[in-house]
Amino acid sequence: MPAKFHTAIVCTIISLTIGACVARAQQPLAAPTPDQRDARMKWWREARFGMFVHWGLYSGLAGTWDGKPVGTKGGMEWIQQRVKADTDTYAKKAIPLFKPTPDFARQWARLAREAGCRYVVFTSKHHEGFALHDSKVGDYNAGSVLHRDLVKEIVEALHAEGLKVGFYHSVIDWHHDQYAYELSKQLPHPLKGQPYPNGQRDHAKYLDYLHAQVSELMSNYGPIDVLWWDYSSQDFQGDAAWRASDLMKLVRTKQPGIIMNNRLFRIPEAGFTGMGTNAISSQLDPKYGDFITPEQHIPATGMPGVDWETCMTLNTTWGYSDHDHAWKSDETLIRNLIDIASKGGNYLLNIGPKGDGSVPAESVKSMQAIGAWMKINGESIYATTASPFAKLDWGRCTQKKLDGGSTRLYLHVFDWPKDGKLVVPGLASKPVKAVLLADGKALATSVENGGVVVSVPAEAPDKIATVIALDIEGLPKITK
Ligand code: H79
């Protein structure tokens, strides 16, 4: 073959290949079909209960700055912003206090499994900007500072306990010297209102860094199940703020099965009606994310057709504080989990480990109490769907379809009946059998005007929530 001709063919092949690559890179990822979405959401919809972990440099500071408590309430993961510290001052104080023990991750993983959580979402980077992985595109990360890859340690420990893994990743960044905080009036930054200390900033450079770190996180730790973005404001969101569509495309290309929340955006189509963390709308176009995230708040009703997850603290802070003692009771936590499941949502419950990675004793106790309840009653939570009843005076209900077309209703009783009769009002379906999950004993059922009645023991077997599994014929028929 003449050399010139050969070169021409090679050039054509190269340019066709490059052309195809460019064309592919510019194509938006095809929107998932409903079946594809159902397939990737399946495990998450069945899981119902996850553990959130907020852990970073703020954890060692523990809510104290210059020897004084910064407050007794509220998010101490925001301490850098609360005391208005620039990143160097903050890092100098915080880094010496961040001393992870060798086996901290195993403790988290065991606790999550013991609590009955099916997945764990932890902070790969919070607003402070310190990344827990060994990053090659910066020096403010665990690899550079501690010579450890904490993300790797955590992912391995979670997998060893059979848990699904999620990364919480903050797009807000109080460290990076090109993060142009003046572009948003609404998003927080410790230096807000002050001129940039290093002259003009080029936000595009920060975005390159953000995308590069996310690319590392999506490439180096095997399959990751959740990406939990945090967060956008109405005046700074989406493509303009984060090149969000490209970022989501990058993630999905590397992790085809991952699910992501909606917080790269803050528009009604993406599930937001305003800036409040409870300002949620029950609409979500999947191009903006897979689920919406009411924060510190349980919606009044379910949101059929929209996947949602309430995230909540055990006291009032996400990041560890020595000064926050406002712990929620076991009753509140267990009933919250039930309430959320009865509305078809997930509960992502937070622990804030200390600077050495150990979990506060109060949090261990609470998670274990939930675990003890779940051990007996877990089948009334996992893989259930929302209650068919609009309201039940004595508690909540979840349900599951059984083989053969019947339905199991899980009756979660908060207020035990005094007369030994639990009335399921308006239930017109024929009862088949009823069982107390606490001891597996069968309970008598009868049909009385206005509903099905289950005969129950005089005393509640569980003061917090006793569960009765009531099997009925067919799908639930409810008359009021
Ligand atoms: O990571 C956690 C919070 O730090 C983060 N999202 C959860 C999962 C978050 N960032 N901003 N917001 C939540 C909304 C703003 C909440 C605020 Fe506050 C209430 C800002 C000031 C009062 C909570 C308490 C954060 C700082 C103090």
Side-chain angles (χ1 to χ4, degrees):
M1 192 189 289
K4 231 168 108 187
F5 188 57
H6 184 247
T7 314
I9 291 176
V10 171
C11 286
T12 310
I13 291 170
I14 290 173
S15 61
L16 279 177
T17 314
I18 292 172
C21 288
V22 169
R24 212 172 301 138
Q26 286 170 346
Q27 291 265 311
L29 268 193
T33 64
D35 281 353
Q36 284 170 329
R37 248 183 66 70
D38 283 344
R40 78 166 176 243
M41 295 305 291
K42 185 171 187 291
W43 74 264
W44 187 91
R45 288 175 181 158
E46 293 181 353
R48 286 287 171 253
F49 184 33
M51 186 168 92
F52 214 174
V53 186
H54 276 69
W55 191 58
L57 297 183
Y58 46 82
S59 309
L61 290 168
T64 304
W65 189 258
D66 282 342
K68 290 192 250 346
V70 170
T72 57
K73 294 269 157 71
M76 284 304 145
E77 72 287 353
W78 279 45
I79 188 167
Q80 184 187 350
Q81 203 268 348
R82 295 278 294 267
V83 302
K84 311 279 179 238
D86 65 69
T87 190
D88 292 339
T89 308
Y90 176 76
K92 220 165 128 195
K93 284 195 200 278
I95 285 173
L97 301 172
F98 188 61
K99 294 182 285 197
T101 60
D103 75 333
F104 75 93
R106 234 169 316 151
Q107 293 174 28
W108 300 2
R110 284 194 192 133
L111 183 62
R113 193 180 42 75
E114 230 186 316
C117 297
R118 291 278 163 90
Y119 62 110
V120 173
V121 179
F122 69 93
T123 47
S124 47
K125 180 189 86 165
H126 204 269
H127 307 338
E128 64 176 6
F130 186 79
L132 295 191
H133 70 297
D134 180 9
S135 176
K136 303 303 177 205
V137 298
D139 56 9
Y140 201 53
N141 60 78
S144 308
V145 173
L146 302 175
H147 311 292
R148 282 170 74 174
D149 190 327
L150 299 173
V151 167
K152 184 164 183 280
E153 293 180 30
I154 298 165
V155 170
E156 284 176 1
L158 297 178
H159 281 159
E161 295 294 338
L163 296 155
K164 298 271 187 189
V165 177
F167 296 161
Y168 163 109
H169 203 77
S170 173
V171 289
I172 296 172
D173 193 304
W174 299 336
H175 167 75
H176 198 274
D177 66 3
Q178 298 301 313
Y179 179 91
Y181 54 82
E182 285 303 326
L183 295 176
S184 169
K185 298 249 171 300
Q186 294 170 317
L187 291 182
H189 193 284
L191 304 184
K192 198 146 205 126
Q194 297 178 38
Y196 298 131
N198 52 337
Q200 209 40 44
R201 290 188 171 195
D202 181 356
H203 193 68
K205 288 203 176 117
Y206 166 66
L207 294 183
D208 291 343
Y209 166 85
L210 168 69
H211 287 226
Q213 280 203 331
V214 169
S215 178
E216 291 175 332
L217 288 165
M218 294 296 101
S219 306
N220 300 341
Y221 305 93
I224 300 302
D225 304 295
V226 177
L227 220 163
W228 213 102
W229 306 109
D230 209 20
Y231 71 89
S232 301
S233 55
Q234 285 153 310
D235 76 347
F236 205 56
Q237 60 94 36
D239 291 339
W242 323 113
R243 301 202 299 248
S245 303
D246 281 354
L247 193 52
M248 288 180 76
K249 217 182 299 168
L250 163 81
V251 170
R252 283 224 197 284
T253 304
K254 289 181 177 289
Q255 298 278 348
I258 205 166
I259 62 179
M260 289 183 257
N261 76 354
N262 60 341
R263 291 193 180 200
L264 291 177
F265 300 89
R266 206 169 193 106
I267 49 177
E269 307 87 283
F272 287 106
T273 57
M275 268 308 284
T277 49
N278 58 1
I280 49 167
S281 83
S282 57
Q283 92 189 78
L284 177 61
D285 181 330
K287 76 178 177 215
Y288 300 114
D290 296 301
F291 63 101
I292 68 176
T293 54
E295 179 167 327
Q296 301 284 40
H297 161 79
I298 302 175
T301 61
M303 289 176 262
V306 176
D307 293 289
W308 59 278
E309 177 195 67
T310 283
C311 56
M312 217 178 252
T313 48
L314 287 170
N315 47 3
T316 78
T317 179
W318 301 93
Y320 179 71
S321 168
D322 276 334
H323 316 295
D324 187 331
H325 307 296
W327 300 99
K328 292 181 180 74
S329 67
D330 295 344
E331 177 179 288
T332 298
L333 297 168
I334 291 168
R335 290 185 177 179
N336 280 349
L337 173 60
I338 295 166
D339 186 27
I340 289 167
S342 80
K343 293 169 180 169
N346 280 17
Y347 197 25
L348 186 65
L349 190 56
N350 182 71
I351 60 165
K354 302 180 185 187
D356 63 0
S358 66
V359 182
E362 293 87 342
S363 305
V364 171
K365 260 185 72 210
S366 296
M367 295 305 275
Q368 287 174 339
I370 300 172
W373 186 89
M374 286 291 272
K375 208 162 177 197
I376 293 167
N377 302 293
E379 70 158 282
S380 72
I381 300 291
Y382 301 126
T384 59
T385 56
S387 173
F389 301 95
K391 192 173 183 305
L392 290 168
D393 288 338
W394 39 255
R396 300 289 184 274
C397 178
T398 56
Q399 58 174 318
K400 211 179 267 178
K401 281 191 188 132
L402 301 178
D403 293 342
S406 57
T407 304
R408 181 164 295 166
L409 298 177
Y410 293 101
L411 311 175
H412 297 257
V413 189
F414 297 169
D415 297 316
W416 197 250
K418 294 193 175 47
D419 59 359
K421 286 177 155 207
L422 185 76
V423 181
V424 189
L427 181 59
S429 312
K430 188 167 174 234
V432 179
K433 66 167 181 173
V435 168
L436 204 56
L437 290 192
D439 57 12
K441 287 215 177 95
L443 301 173
T445 60
S446 58
V447 178
E448 291 179 19
N449 48 359
V452 171
V453 176
V454 184
S455 301
V456 297
E459 288 291 318
D462 187 327
K463 295 270 177 295
I464 292 178
T466 299
V467 185
I468 295 160
L470 171 64
D471 290 3
I472 54 168
E473 275 185 9
L475 298 176
K477 286 194 284 280
I478 289 150
T479 56
K480 63 176 180 188

